[in-house]
DNA sequence: TTGTAAGCGTTATCAG
DNA sequence: CTGATAACGCTTACAA
């Protein structure tokens, strides 16, 4: 322990020094201000008429005593927690962080807090989180989790908590959906590639149990290949840069070319790096696209051609919709977010 | 709107179809099971002795009615919310996401939820968040925010909420600290660089209002340069890949070399990319280090030499410490986390 | 083993 | 404009 960070226990601020604001209640404030708690409640909520004189007095006492209303008690009394429960598989993906950031922005301006329910990509965990969300008495829930199906969302919603589901279509009076529309775009990308004077093996990187976006993309990929009557390959990889990099360092000992469809930027980068480190050229020998592009698609070199969804916008939209759904005036239950394709350096033409 | 995502309003699950579990309370369960609410409380908390027969009956009723205990009411009654408030400047930095992930992991295994208080790098916001944390009646707070000083943390702590502060030394009986120890390491890196037969301009990238880590690093940088009696430069940049990239594309029209100390990977990458795109070589002409390395330091090419802190570990440690602090048996108020330096391709030797 | 009743800190509906 | 008082849904002595 470095000397300067040493703490002398006697030096600690404790009950005697720096005052201790132990949980002053509205009742104590009322007594100190010589009014009833109803009046105090009125001034802190700016509701009802209070003489400016008593109002001032109460406010002074509040400041003096360091009174902070208990959100918990308020939630119990009003049946509104000002909390939104967010169910996600992990906080560690960049695109999820982006979404979270969008949610935070709007939630803040609307006076909500976000509480996180992370499922760790496990179904059991996901079920447990559903229960937790219900118990938590949140004012609304936003679900972006592939472990959870229509029934789960409906279950939460049926407990009177308005719910927005991202990337899944749920039909329930108390649920709104945000859908990613990328079918046509992805199909087109694959089609164009096939139509070009194309010689490389077409490879889709399958990640086990990785959710709807990838599964759906895989279907589109397969479907498009079949429709064009071309051969394709499905290759299993881990959802990890390091592991996939190793796998491809091996792969490129045998294979010297390919067009690879990867789940996200890190995975795409692992292929690009492995190819380059194996003496292959990108995009001449090896081409790669990422299905979920983030800003990193533009930072790594060569830059990665990618499908893009503005996740920050998705996050914002989700909170907007939730707010409207809660107030009973959500016009469109379903919001479709278009996905774009951006060709960068990791693919030809 | 694509045809398949169209929703026919009549098709929606509503109150009549799929049952609606509107807020069954413990009282209703009690009545339905023919016991008192105390008994129901006992079975859901597995506390006290209950005949296995009545227990079963109660459990059946609970399942039938779809009863879910209200966390809010429980929190009010027990004065424990099972919530941890996390104060961060943004959820959008990779190293913060990593930390969050660590917190989530431990919080989950300890039965806590995380609720986010994001300050958006603004002091006013930060002050507002302090109030919110206090009001929220969380069981503990973790602060990783440079807008907040010792008084702020102490204030939260004085409201009887155990607090862990990351990257700041706070002396208060109810506060624990996690400190990043990188002074010696960083000093050494700069020193070594200077001691080598070094010719390039030494440049520190200053980001306005970017917090303690950077400010501290800047001091160390300046101090080390002065101690060695060498010239140095401070350059103002924005905390944004795109903007800094543009700035450096310009910069490299005039300057053709330099050793740059950047805040984080994205910023470092912007310099590397701008250098490369300007026809300069990394690390021959331009060298770059990142002060907060993440996995991306290893993904971009050339890879980025960086200072590293295991933020996931920091997150886990924070929750551990908070837990112990709350239970009154935190041995060491101050936990020092060592920072390492990893030389990669963006610097010489 | 089970029930009764007080209390947690608010809001909200009444009267006054 | 202000004050009692009953909720809100749960836990927890204390009694039975």
């Amino acid at each position: 322990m470095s000397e300067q960070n040493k703490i002398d226990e006697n030096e600690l601020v404790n009950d005697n020094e720096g005052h201790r604001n132990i949980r002053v209640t509205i009742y104590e404030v009322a007594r100190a201000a010589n009014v009833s708690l109803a009046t105090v409640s009125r001034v802190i909520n700016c509701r009802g008429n209070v003489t400016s004189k008593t109002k001032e007095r109460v406010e002074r006492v509040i400041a003096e005593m360091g009174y902070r209303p208990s959100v918990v008690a308020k939630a119990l009394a009003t049946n509104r927690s000002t909390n939104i429960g967010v169910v996600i598989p992990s906080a560690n993906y960049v695109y999820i962080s982006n979404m979270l950031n969008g949610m935070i922005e709007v939630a803040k301006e609307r006076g909500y807090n976000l509480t996180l329910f992370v499922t760790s990509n496990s179904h059991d965990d996901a079920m447990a989180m559903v229960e937790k969300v219900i118990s938590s008495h949140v004012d609304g829930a936003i679900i972006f989790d592939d472990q959870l199906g229509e029934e789960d969302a409906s279950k939460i919603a049926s407990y009177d908590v308005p719910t927005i589901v991202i990337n899944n279509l749920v039909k329930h009076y108390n649920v709104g959906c945000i859908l990613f529309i990328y079918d046509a775009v992805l199909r087109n990308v694959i089609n164009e590639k096939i139509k070009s004077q194309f010689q490389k093996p077409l490879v889709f990187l399958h990640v086990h149990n990785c959710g709807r976006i990838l599964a759906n993309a895989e279907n589109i990929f397969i479907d498009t290949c079949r429709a064009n009557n071309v051969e394709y390959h499905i290759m299993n990889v881990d959802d990890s840069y390091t592991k996939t990099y190793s796998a491809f360092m091996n792969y490129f000992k045998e294979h010297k070319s390919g067009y690879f469809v990867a789940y996200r930027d890190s995975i795409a980068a692992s292929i690009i790096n492995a190819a380059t480190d194996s003496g292959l050229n990108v995009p001449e020998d090896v081409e790669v696209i990422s299905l979920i592009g983030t800003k990193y698609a533009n930072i790594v070199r060569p830059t990665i051609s990618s499908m893009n969804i503005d996740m920050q916008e998705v996050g914002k939209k989700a909170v907007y919709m939730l707010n409207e759904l809660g107030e009973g005036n959500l016009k469109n239950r379903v919001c479709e977010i278009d996905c774009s394709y951006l060709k960068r350096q990791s693919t030809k033409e």
Side-chain angles (χ1 to χ4, degrees), chain A:
Chain A
M1 164 90 52
S2 49
E3 210 38 53
Q4 59 176 357
N5 296 331
K6 206 92 184 181
I7 287 193
D8 175 358
E9 293 283 332
N10 297 322
E11 220 187 307
L12 291 178
V13 172
N14 62 34
D15 318 33
N16 309 320
E17 321 179 34
H19 52 191
R20 186 166 179 173
N21 301 296
I22 289 298
R23 291 289 152 216
V24 177
T25 71
I26 197 173
Y27 193 78
E28 306 177 69
V29 172
R31 223 178 19 183
N34 239 310
V35 292
S36 76
L37 51 162
T39 303
V40 178
S41 179
R42 284 183 194 108
V43 349
I44 63 183
N45 291 306
C46 304
R47 219 192 299 292
N49 295 329
V50 186
T51 330
S52 62
K53 225 170 103 177
T54 52
K55 185 176 168 187
E56 267 172 34
R57 178 155 38 98
V58 171
E59 277 168 345
R60 192 159 28 91
V61 173
I62 287 178
E64 279 169 16
M65 303 181 78
Y67 166 70
R68 297 292 181 287
S70 160
V71 161
V72 174
K74 179 168 183 165
L76 183 61
T78 58
N79 199 27
R80 304 197 63 238
S81 66
T82 67
N83 256 353
I84 294 176
V86 179
V87 184
I88 46 178
S90 162
N92 224 0
Y93 294 112
V94 172
Y95 67 95
I96 292 185
S97 301
N98 291 160
M99 185 182 71
L100 230 38
N101 227 252
M103 291 181 188
I104 287 164
E105 189 183 325
V106 180
K108 222 155 71 167
E109 94 189 24
R110 295 276 215 269
Y112 290 106
N113 282 328
L114 261 37
T115 121
L116 264 27
F117 296 85
V118 181
T119 67
S120 309
N121 274 311
S122 128
H123 187 66
D124 286 350
D125 242 27
M127 299 312 276
M129 288 310 157
V130 167
E131 299 301 322
K132 278 202 168 195
V133 169
I134 295 172
S135 283
S136 290
H137 243 283
V138 289
D139 291 342
I142 299 176
I143 302 179
F144 180 40
D145 195 297
D146 287 324
Q147 299 292 331
L148 265 23
E150 171 154 14
E151 333 73 62
D152 303 304
S154 296
K155 184 172 183 185
I156 294 179
S158 77
Y159 276 87
D160 219 26
V161 2
T163 302
I164 301 296
V165 176
I166 297 171
N167 192 31
N168 197 17
L169 183 62
V170 175
K171 295 174 180 176
H172 189 286
Y173 75 100
N174 209 11
V175 175
C177 315
I178 295 178
L179 266 19
F180 301 150
I181 306 300
Y182 55 101
D183 292 36
V185 178
L186 179 56
R187 203 175 291 273
N188 191 47
V189 170
I190 309 288
N191 255 324
E192 290 294 309
K193 188 46 67 181
I194 293 176
K195 295 265 162 63
S196 68
Q197 67 310 2
F198 189 73
Q199 304 292 356
K200 298 166 190 160
L202 282 166
V203 185
F204 188 93
L205 301 193
H206 176 94
V207 179
H208 179 63
N209 201 17
C210 200
R212 273 187 286 270
I213 294 185
L214 192 64
N216 212 326
E218 187 169 338
N219 288 335
I220 294 170
F221 173 85
I222 294 176
D223 199 55
T224 311
C225 288
R226 286 190 178 154
N228 284 276
N229 210 19
V230 302
E231 204 184 345
Y232 63 86
H233 308 268
I234 305 293
M235 184 173 165
N236 290 304
V237 300
D238 286 301
D239 190 20
S240 139
Y241 172 84
T242 319
K243 287 185 187 163
T244 304
Y245 175 83
S246 302
F248 270 89
M249 284 305 285
N250 249 321
Y251 181 89
F252 286 131
K253 284 178 189 158
E254 305 268 319
H255 310 74
K256 299 302 180 188
S257 74
Y259 179 89
F260 299 92
V261 180
Y263 176 38
R264 55 196 183 92
D265 294 346
S266 292
I267 307 301
S270 71
I271 304 172
I272 292 174
N273 287 343
T276 309
D277 294 350
S278 302
L280 302 175
N281 292 316
V282 178
E284 291 75 12
D285 305 318
V286 170
E287 295 181 60
V288 183
I289 72 170
S290 164
L291 290 173
I292 304 186
T294 68
K295 68 169 189 169
Y296 289 97
N298 198 39
I299 291 183
V300 301
R301 296 304 169 87
T303 55
I304 305 172
S305 299
S306 69
M307 311 277 298
N308 308 291
I309 296 172
D310 186 339
M311 292 304 285
Q312 170 133 3
E313 201 52 42
V314 169
K316 290 165 80 170
K317 186 80 192 176
V319 179
Y320 282 135
M321 288 177 70
L322 190 56
N323 209 197
E324 290 170 4
L325 183 59
E327 289 168 356
N329 48 27
L330 176 61
K331 297 185 301 289
N332 298 313
R333 296 210 115 54
V334 179
C335 165
E336 301 188 332
I337 300 262
D338 282 315
C339 179
S340 67
Y341 174 74
L342 200 47
K343 188 224 160 297
R344 295 199 184 85
Q345 299 169 343
S346 67
T347 54
K348 279 161 78 173
E349 72 247 28

